[in-house]
Amino acid sequence: MSEAISETADIDRSGLPLSRVIGLTSGILLVAGIMIGSGIFKKIVPMSASGLSEKYIIAAWVVAGIITMFGAFTVAGLATLTTNSGGEYEYLRLIFGNLVSFLFGWSSFTIIGSASIAAIAVVFTSTINELLPLGEPLASLKYISAGYIVDPFADSGLKFLAVTAIVLLTWINCRGISKATNLNDLITYAKVAGILLLISIGLFYQDYGQVRLETPVVPITGTGGTSAFFAAMLSAFWAYDGWLNVAFISGEIKNPTRNVPKAIIAGVLLVMILYVLVNIAFMKVIPVNVLASLGDNEIAATVMVKSVLGDSGKVLITMLIMLSTFGALNGLIITYARLYYQMAKEGFFFRKAANVHPRFNTPYISLIYSMVISCLLVFSGSFDLLTDMIVFAGFLFYALLAWGLIKMKRRGLIKSNLIGYPVIPIIFILFSIALLVNTIITQPTQTFAGILLMLTGVPFYFYFKQKKRCS
């Protein structure tokens, strides 16, 4: 175990190192950049429709933020175990062994990471479509379906542009981590500025009344109940997702045992503050019952800004969402490729994924693998279904991380003082268990399918294990 967690250089099989060029500021901006996608602009509508009052909606954002911060504190402790790339994969490997870590990595490659990239790319192009209709170049084939589940040629204009965005950002990433993180820094600064503008409009602009609709609105009665509050937190968790990804690139962060924890904690705190304030701003301008009456495709931020700036407000918000999703897409492409790279280094993935470009010092083969499967999922159109089915596995691994922190601390392998230990990891475990139980009860089919999809990695694990033994 001591050999496994020694701070060796992050070098692939060919001996070429990844470059440790990412500083703390870029790490914080990467955490925030991945987390701030489209959820913050859209989730207030379904949360309002649940019947919750204003104070309970804000409470849902705060509680979800606190739980996310507890997860950040947990990972902050685990980050002292290794300086290698891989993040959650490496932590699980060091604590529970190769099988558990491989199942996480394989789930990320086939579903979690690749489907997230595909979904964000489609949201990005859907936003562009609102300003500039993309059409359907393959309209004559749109009704072709595979098992009435996959419609590869439907919305072909959106899908072609989504694939183009993935390929373009992958090319930029292949040409150097500095180029990719500089792009992320620039975009994140811009979208934080945009959100601060929204907050300012909602909190300080006083020359207009609250937005109201002529059509009947949904009456808000009571608190909506515990189940509604829980559902609202799930919506908030979707918007907070991505906070852990920066740990995947530990091998390229300067002084990772210090900077990875700081980046995660500071990034989550920044995003939590922005999310709470912008939702207060939304509800100050738009009553909760009006928010609840907005259609599924309507965006609260658009309604709020349009009431102040007119039709130009819609263009402004559409461009902000476009920028946010493009930045989040870039962050996901940066980070997930490093996970597959680390798996290949350990001998539990396709060997070429461990190759590092001799000029740009990037895991370019891993980036290409990630690009290919993400593009395939774009055309499948089934990524939303896949991500729903894997929710169970995601929270299962979160619980394992918190348990692993306690386990490694008791063994004396984590010597640093931990924030709130052992209370915070125990609360995080209990919350994850509650969420797992709720998922099993409310989504048994998706949960079972998610477990089966995760277990498809078992034969691949033994294949790679045998191949590693023979090499």
Side-chain angles (χ1 to χ4, degrees):
M1 176 65 71
S2 60
E3 293 180 0
I5 62 176
S6 63
E7 296 185 2
T8 56
D10 199 1
I11 301 174
D12 79 328
R13 295 178 187 278
S14 65
L16 293 175
L18 295 177
S19 302
R20 292 194 185 276
V21 296
I22 303 174
L24 177 59
T25 300
S26 290
I28 294 171
L29 292 173
L30 186 58
V31 174
I34 293 174
M35 292 174 71
I36 302 172
S38 63
I40 183 54
F41 306 105
K42 297 182 176 183
K43 285 301 180 181
I44 186 67
V45 173
M47 292 170 81
S48 300
S50 68
L52 292 174
S53 65
E54 180 177 322
K55 65 179 180 180
Y56 283 101
I57 291 174
I58 295 300
W61 283 103
V62 172
V63 173
I66 291 172
I67 295 297
T68 303
M69 185 62 75
F70 284 0
F73 291 151
T74 298
V75 173
L78 294 173
T80 61
L81 290 175
T82 177
T83 61
N84 289 342
S85 297
E88 189 172 352
Y89 169 83
E90 272 293 279
Y91 308 149
L92 291 170
R93 184 183 70 82
L94 295 171
I95 300 167
F96 299 107
N98 290 323
L99 177 58
V100 173
S101 63
F102 177 81
L103 290 178
F104 166 75
W106 185 256
S107 299
S108 295
F109 179 66
T110 56
I111 303 168
I112 302 172
S114 301
S116 296
I117 291 172
I120 289 292
V122 170
V123 172
F124 167 68
T125 54
S126 298
T127 307
I128 293 177
N129 189 55
E130 293 183 14
L131 294 179
L132 180 65
L134 299 172
E136 292 200 51
L138 300 180
S140 60
L141 304 175
K142 65 185 295 184
Y143 298 108
I144 296 177
S145 176
Y148 301 100
I149 298 176
V150 177
D151 302 306
F153 304 113
D155 301 316
S156 53
L158 289 175
K159 291 177 179 178
F160 280 133
L161 187 56
V163 166
T164 300
I166 293 172
V167 172
L168 173 63
L169 287 173
T170 299
W171 177 77
I172 293 173
N173 272 266
C174 285
R175 294 182 63 81
I177 185 65
S178 294
K179 289 182 174 64
T181 53
N182 287 341
L183 177 62
N184 179 77
D185 291 353
L186 180 63
I187 293 176
T188 303
Y189 278 128
K191 58 186 178 182
V192 168
I195 293 174
L196 290 174
L197 176 61
L198 287 178
I199 293 170
S200 298
I201 290 173
L203 298 185
F204 304 115
Y205 196 89
Q206 301 293 336
D207 292 341
Y208 55 88
Q210 286 186 323
V211 174
R212 302 192 179 278
L213 298 180
E214 296 180 359
T215 54
V217 297
V218 175
I220 302 297
T221 57
T223 65
T226 303
S227 60
F229 185 77
F230 204 81
M233 277 201 300
L234 290 179
S235 291
F237 278 124
W238 188 84
Y240 279 114
D241 192 37
W243 58 272
L244 184 54
N245 286 42
V246 73
F248 293 158
I249 61 169
S250 295
E252 291 155 285
I253 293 179
K254 300 174 183 177
N255 195 357
T257 55
R258 178 179 68 89
N259 286 338
V260 168
K262 286 185 176 181
I264 293 175
I265 293 171
V268 170
L269 181 60
L270 170 63
V271 171
M272 179 180 173
I273 293 170
L274 291 175
Y275 281 7
V276 172
L277 289 178
V278 80
N279 278 278
I280 291 173
F282 287 155
M283 290 185 288
K284 182 177 180 183
V285 179
I286 313 172
V288 175
N289 58 346
V290 175
L291 283 167
S293 301
L294 296 178
D296 292 338
N297 296 322
E298 292 188 84
I299 301 170
T302 302
V303 176
M304 184 182 80
V305 177
K306 188 176 179 181
S307 70
V308 181
L309 303 178
D311 290 336
S312 60
K314 179 179 179 180
V315 176
L316 176 65
I317 295 304
T318 301
M319 293 182 66
L320 179 57
I321 295 174
M322 189 189 310
L323 189 68
S324 294
T325 51
F326 188 74
L329 177 61
N330 181 54
L332 292 173
I333 290 172
I334 291 172
T335 53
Y336 274 110
R338 272 65 183 180
L339 165 59
Y340 316 141
Y341 159 81
Q342 187 64 27
M343 292 172 67
K345 278 183 58 183
E346 299 294 338
F348 286 97
F349 199 60
F350 305 107
R351 186 170 300 174
K352 287 187 177 180
N355 290 350
V356 173
H357 197 283
R359 177 182 174 189
F360 301 120
N361 298 110
T362 55
Y364 67 110
I365 299 297
S366 181
L367 282 160
I368 292 171
Y369 283 169
S370 177
M371 176 191 74
V372 170
I373 191 168
S374 297
C375 289
L376 289 175
L377 286 177
V378 166
F379 278 102
S380 76
S382 60
F383 40 80
D384 286 333
L385 176 63
L386 291 173
T387 52
D388 286 344
M389 289 191 295
I390 208 65
V391 166
F392 183 92
F395 280 96
L396 173 62
F397 289 122
Y398 281 155
L400 286 176
L401 285 178
W403 176 27
L405 176 69
I406 296 173
K407 182 178 178 181
M408 300 302 267
K409 183 70 173 174
R410 286 182 173 178
R411 288 184 178 180
L413 295 174
I414 297 177
K415 303 184 185 300
S416 59
N417 294 325
L418 304 178
I419 300 174
Y421 180 87
V423 176
I424 283 179
I426 289 174
I427 292 175
F428 194 60
I429 291 171
L430 293 176
F431 183 85
S432 297
I433 291 173
L435 197 61
L436 291 173
V437 172
N438 181 77
T439 305
I440 293 171
I441 294 172
T442 59
Q443 298 180 326
T445 303
Q446 292 92 325
T447 299
F448 181 68
I451 293 173
L452 287 180
L453 284 170
M454 183 176 63
L455 292 178
T456 59
V458 172
F460 286 93
Y461 167 76
F462 287 105
Y463 165 76
F464 288 122
K465 184 177 181 180
Q466 180 62 30
K467 196 171 182 179
K468 179 179 179 181
R469 185 179 297 150
C470 296
S471 61

